[in-house]
Amino acid sequence: MTHETNSPATGPARRNLLTIGAGAVLATGCSRLVAAPDLGASPSASGTAPGADLTPGAMALFDNSAYNFNGLFALGASGAGAAEVGEVLTAVNAINKAGLSAQSYVTTFRRLGDRLMAAPESGVPDAQTTRFRALRAAQYYGQALFFVLGSDAPGDEERLYKAGRAAWDKFCSLCDPPPVTDRVPYGKTPLPVWFFRPDESGKRRPTVILTNGSDGQNVDMWTYGVPAALDRGWNALVYDGPGQGQLLFVDQVTFTPTWEKVVAPLIDWLSRRQDVDTGKIALTGLSMAGDLVPRAAAFEPRLAAAVAMPGCVEPWRGFPPEIREILRPGKAETNAIWNKEVVPHLPAADAATMKKRFEPFSVPAMLAARQGKVFTDFYTPARAVQALTVTDVVSRIRTPMLVLDYEGDQFYPGQARELYDKLTSPKDYVKLTAAEGAQLHCSPMAPQLHCEVVFDWLQETVRGGRS
């Protein structure tokens, strides 16, 4: 782990999707669960040695790096009770035996989720058994959901999301105390929220708002923050924003570049609660939310601290040049290239990846994908991804910020350091490494270590450890 701190004297002293022609799936950079490049290939600005194998030995669950990356997230979630090592490895073996494909992956993990939501064969489960079986089911439905657009039944996407959501809600209902649930006003579509508290004492506490990436599910926010917050006496707010969870898969609301307009009503909602210390509200963002959090911090002055996991300033740069070059100034020309020169030559697996990458930015793309079709309008969602660039607003940030980076990050190499260097607020930079088992985008095998780094920093920053 490498750590760097900059405390300005003037402030508080604080922390190829597709290679055209070759048909090889590379990295999209839009989320933490994506088709990844060959991890043994030469890396880039991530600083990994050329030829390094970042998933050696037992870390290689599948031959395909995209499926392997997903599987590692499920395995890593076991430390938070959001998976079971034996269940995940048994599923991996079953998928490999059947022949690795989107269909075998979806079918295996969906059946595992279904089994856990049913009563165990051993007898009548108590509330705790039911609770954690539901949490694990939410993880496994999420695993299936990610690849469903490449399966034989892409139209099952919304049903799979709802199955995972039902499992999550079952889990939450059995927590002690259960999270407070609500729908926070936001435009025409309110944001569903789950407010976790250590107890029901009503004590004013620091609170962290946990922000997901472009394709994470609520269960991921459990793994990457809720227990860590509760164990330290913090409240934790989980929510679905535009382009995420219910707002995407059910309400059909796509991402917005003005994330401060998402965070502001959440802070308003928290500020009305007697058990929230309004001067100690922090914001974290996982994966692509490492871009959303700096944007919110640039315009929302009520945040006491913010964490980008990893730092990101331009998600569009996470797409390989061959994809970015399709985008031209004119919509007609761009879409002509896409539909005439690219789509007809897309292998099925690459087409599924493209559908998945663009659906959070385009309802027509999502609906076409559910019908087994490739979207025809590339221009509009590509422009929506471009609009997430925060390069020009980082200098506005006054909030203390921690920027995480990861050895071998496949999707935003170099961008964490770029964000850190542009920040003029109190700031810290921490890079998690392969020596700790914390390599790759979002440290899929080390979420506990990840949370330790984040919450140690939050404790020190928000509770006034350094001044």
Side-chain angles (χ1 to χ4, degrees), residues 18 20-21 326 331-346 374-378:
L18 176 71
I20 302 301
I326 297 171
K331 181 176 182 178
E333 182 183 3
T334 295
N335 288 341
I337 295 171
W338 171 248
N339 290 301
K340 295 178 182 179
E341 300 179 27
V342 179
V343 173
H345 307 290
L346 277 175
V374 177
F375 55 93
T376 57
D377 180 8
F378 177 92

Side-chain angles (χ1 to χ4, degrees), residues 132-187:
F132 277 102
R133 283 171 69 91
L135 181 63
R136 301 201 308 275
Q139 172 72 237
Y140 303 143
Y141 284 131
Q143 289 287 321
L145 175 64
F146 184 78
F147 288 106
V148 70
L149 293 182
S151 73
D152 296 342
D156 284 351
E157 183 178 56
E158 184 176 344
R159 286 188 289 275
L160 257 179
Y161 164 74
K162 288 181 175 178
R165 170 65 180 273
W168 167 255
D169 286 339
K170 168 64 79 173
F171 165 75
C172 289
S173 71
L174 295 170
C175 288
D176 183 19
V180 175
T181 58
D182 204 349
R183 291 173 66 80
V184 173
Y186 172 77

Side-chain angles (χ1 to χ4, degrees), residues 291 312-318 385-386 388-391 412 415 418:
D291 170 270
C312 175
V313 294
E314 189 175 357
W316 181 238
R317 233 191 294 155
V385 179
Q386 276 192 324
L388 293 173
T389 300
V390 298
T391 309
Y412 305 133
Q415 292 203 39
E418 185 175 346

Side-chain angles (χ1 to χ4, degrees), residues 290-375:
D291 170 270
L292 305 177
V293 163
R295 169 71 199 205
F299 294 94
E300 177 47 74
R302 292 175 291 176
L303 292 170
V307 186
M309 314 179 306
C312 175
V313 294
E314 189 175 357
W316 181 238
R317 233 191 294 155
F319 287 80
E322 294 84 355
I323 290 299
R324 285 183 275 134
E325 287 171 5
I326 297 171
L327 185 60
R328 306 299 170 86
K331 181 176 182 178
E333 182 183 3
T334 295
N335 288 341
I337 295 171
W338 171 248
N339 290 301
K340 295 178 182 179
E341 300 179 27
V342 179
V343 173
H345 307 290
L346 277 175
D350 296 342
T353 301
M354 294 294 279
K355 295 171 189 175
K356 183 62 179 175
R357 296 283 48 80
F358 279 90
E359 71 169 354
F361 303 94
S362 166
V363 171
M366 180 175 70
L367 297 180
R370 291 177 177 180
Q371 298 173 15
K373 301 174 183 177
V374 177
F375 55 93

Side-chain angles (χ1 to χ4, degrees), residues 32 77 80-83 134-140 142-143 164 168 171 212 216-225 238:
R32 65 109 172 127
L135 181 63
R136 301 201 308 275
Q139 172 72 237
Y140 303 143
Q143 289 287 321
W168 167 255
F171 165 75
N212 231 323
Q217 302 305 316
N218 302 129
V219 65
D220 299 312
M221 294 298 90
W222 177 265
T223 301
Y224 280 86
V238 175

Side-chain angles (χ1 to χ4, degrees), residues 32-314:
R32 65 109 172 127
L33 295 177
V34 297
D38 183 344
L39 300 179
S42 293
S44 53
S46 63
T48 307
D53 181 4
L54 290 175
T55 54
M59 297 177 185
L61 307 178
F62 300 108
D63 290 338
N64 180 289
S65 57
Y67 292 96
N68 197 66
F69 189 51
N70 266 294
L72 291 176
F73 270 99
L75 204 58
S78 60
E84 180 79 290
V85 170
E87 289 170 348
V88 174
L89 294 181
T90 298
V92 168
N93 286 340
I95 292 166
N96 283 326
K97 183 177 180 180
L100 177 62
S101 67
Q103 186 62 36
S104 64
Y105 199 98
V106 170
T107 298
T108 301
F109 276 108
R110 184 176 197 166
R111 287 176 178 170
L112 183 50
D114 289 344
R115 180 167 66 81
L116 289 171
M117 289 301 287
E121 296 178 0
S122 58
V124 179
D126 65 14
Q128 283 295 88
T129 296
T130 301
R131 175 184 174 225
F132 277 102
R133 283 171 69 91
L135 181 63
R136 301 201 308 275
Q139 172 72 237
Y140 303 143
Y141 284 131
Q143 289 287 321
L145 175 64
F146 184 78
F147 288 106
V148 70
L149 293 182
S151 73
D152 296 342
D156 284 351
E157 183 178 56
E158 184 176 344
R159 286 188 289 275
L160 257 179
Y161 164 74
K162 288 181 175 178
R165 170 65 180 273
W168 167 255
D169 286 339
K170 168 64 79 173
F171 165 75
C172 289
S173 71
L174 295 170
C175 288
D176 183 19
V180 175
T181 58
D182 204 349
R183 291 173 66 80
V184 173
Y186 172 77
K188 296 180 180 180
T189 310
L191 311 175
V193 298
W194 296 263
F195 179 69
F196 291 86
R197 306 149 292 165
D199 54 47
E200 296 179 283
S201 66
K203 178 181 177 181
R204 282 165 52 86
R205 299 178 183 275
T207 300
V208 60
I209 302 172
L210 302 168
T211 307
N212 231 323
S214 73
D215 52 28
Q217 302 305 316
N218 302 129
V219 65
D220 299 312
M221 294 298 90
W222 177 265
T223 301
Y224 280 86
V226 177
L230 299 179
D231 289 346
R232 291 165 174 80
W234 286 55
N235 302 316
L237 186 75
V238 175
Y239 70 102
D240 287 339
Q244 302 171 326
Q246 178 179 312
L247 266 74
L248 176 64
F249 295 115
V250 179
D251 300 327
Q252 300 182 8
V253 179
T254 57
F255 270 109
T256 176
T258 54
W259 207 257
E260 70 277 9
K261 296 179 180 178
V262 179
V263 172
L266 297 175
I267 296 178
D268 292 342
W269 186 88
L270 289 170
S271 297
R272 291 191 290 270
R273 295 192 59 86
Q274 295 300 310
D275 52 2
V276 172
D277 186 336
T278 56
K280 296 181 178 180
I281 297 176
L283 178 69
T284 69
L286 187 69
S287 192
M288 198 190 78
D291 170 270
L292 305 177
V293 163
R295 169 71 199 205
F299 294 94
E300 177 47 74
R302 292 175 291 176
L303 292 170
V307 186
M309 314 179 306
C312 175
V313 294
E314 189 175 357

